[in-house]
Amino acid sequence: MDLMFSDKFLDALRTAKKAVVATGAGVSAESGVPTFRGEDGLWKKFRPEELATFEAFERNPELVWEWYRYRRDIINKIRPNPGHYAIAAMPPLFDDFCLVTQNVDGLHRVAGSDDVIELHGNIKRNRCLKCSRENYDEDFAEFPPLCSCGGRLRPDVVWFGELLPAGAFEKAEKAASSCDLFFSVGTSGVVQPAASLPLAAKRGGAFVVEINPVPTEITYITNEHLQGKSGEIMPVILERIRELRRKK
Ligand code: BJW
Ligand code: ZN
């Protein structure tokens, strides 16, 4: 892929010590996971307020569980793509590296990123509303599923109006505010508080890079917008960092 990098960006790739990569649904698009917004987005077909809130779940747990079962089936069949693998190869190139994702598909971990902050939970995990125990069961004796304690199970993801997992956002925000190179990859940048991370990075003096086929809500604050697919651009960035650091 032929990409033009600005001198300032090359400088940042050469010298950065602390890097943060923040990802959204777009990194998994090339693996076959539908994104939420946009032309082929999940929310063209489903209304989020009917599915991605606790109220919706209380009203109709069966419908909400159907939606998650459908998406689990997709995720069970797919593999990480070159974007996930390039990101997984980045940590040794920096003194300090942090990967934070809004994705619930677990593909970063499958690609080898074992230290990943999952801001919106994990779609394969179930949590009991009564005893809070977690499990990864997929075959349920009854549907909608129940915990062995008799309580109702829910997918362990973060719905609108819910708090993010304890400490997860704080950890990501700390990394973002103190890094010198920040990548925002494949997110529309509309969902808070995740969308505030690139701003925190910029405020902290980081060089902020966005990888997305289209401009987004956060493009205006970025130092470099690389227009294209994560699976094509992240491997090129990885190679450039390796090259530049060999020369040092
Ligand atoms: C590619 C590509 C390729 C395509 N390569 N790129 C009013 C104003 C401001 C805030 C609020 C408000 N009202 C409510 C809020 C807060 C709310 C919020 O932000 N709402 C906004 C939408 C308005 N946030 C919350 O409620 C959060 N909690 C919270 O704030 O707690 C405090 C609080 C408590 C009580 C009251 C108020 C506040 C929780 C947010 C939880 C989000 N949950 C979801 C569902 C998860 C479970 C599930 O998966 O089912 O998380 S929503 C959905 O959006 C999912 C995603 O993680 C998240 C972000 O989406 P993402 O990743 O950006 O995907 P897309 O589809 O939007 O974008 C994909 C991008 O990829 C596009 O740009 C493409 O171009 C690009 N792309 N192919 C690279 N190959
Ligand atoms: Zn239980």
Side-chain angles (χ1 to χ4, degrees), residues 128 130-131 133 147 149 151:
C128 174
K130 198 163 159 196
C131 72
R133 262 187 305 201
C147 172
C149 80

Side-chain angles (χ1 to χ4, degrees), residues 100-193:
V100 49
T101 187
Q102 295 174 80
N103 298 345
V104 298
D105 58 33
L107 287 179
H108 282 302
R109 224 176 276 278
V110 180
S113 295
D114 36 39
D115 201 6
V116 46
I117 304 176
E118 291 179 318
L119 291 178
H120 295 162
N122 191 301
I123 199 169
K124 294 201 177 182
R125 200 165 56 228
N126 313 303
R127 177 161 50 88
C128 174
L129 291 180
K130 198 163 159 196
C131 72
S132 298
R133 262 187 305 201
E134 296 169 355
N135 68 51
Y136 289 84
D137 293 350
E138 289 185 21
D139 297 317
F140 304 114
E142 60 282 288
F143 194 81
L146 298 176
C147 172
S148 53
C149 80
R152 195 176 278 300
L153 286 176
R154 61 165 283 178
D156 197 12
V157 297
V158 181
W159 287 321
F160 284 117
E162 294 189 317
L163 294 176
L164 275 52
F169 181 71
E170 292 70 15
K171 200 172 160 197
E173 193 180 38
K174 198 166 162 221
S177 348
S178 63
C179 73
D180 30 34
L181 181 57
F182 184 97
F183 295 95
S184 177
V185 195
T187 172
S188 56
V190 298
V191 174
Q192 298 292 352

Side-chain angles (χ1 to χ4, degrees), residues 85-102:
Y85 288 113
I87 293 167
M90 285 169 90
L93 300 170
F94 299 93
D95 293 350
D96 202 12
F97 182 88
C98 173
L99 172 60
V100 49
T101 187
Q102 295 174 80

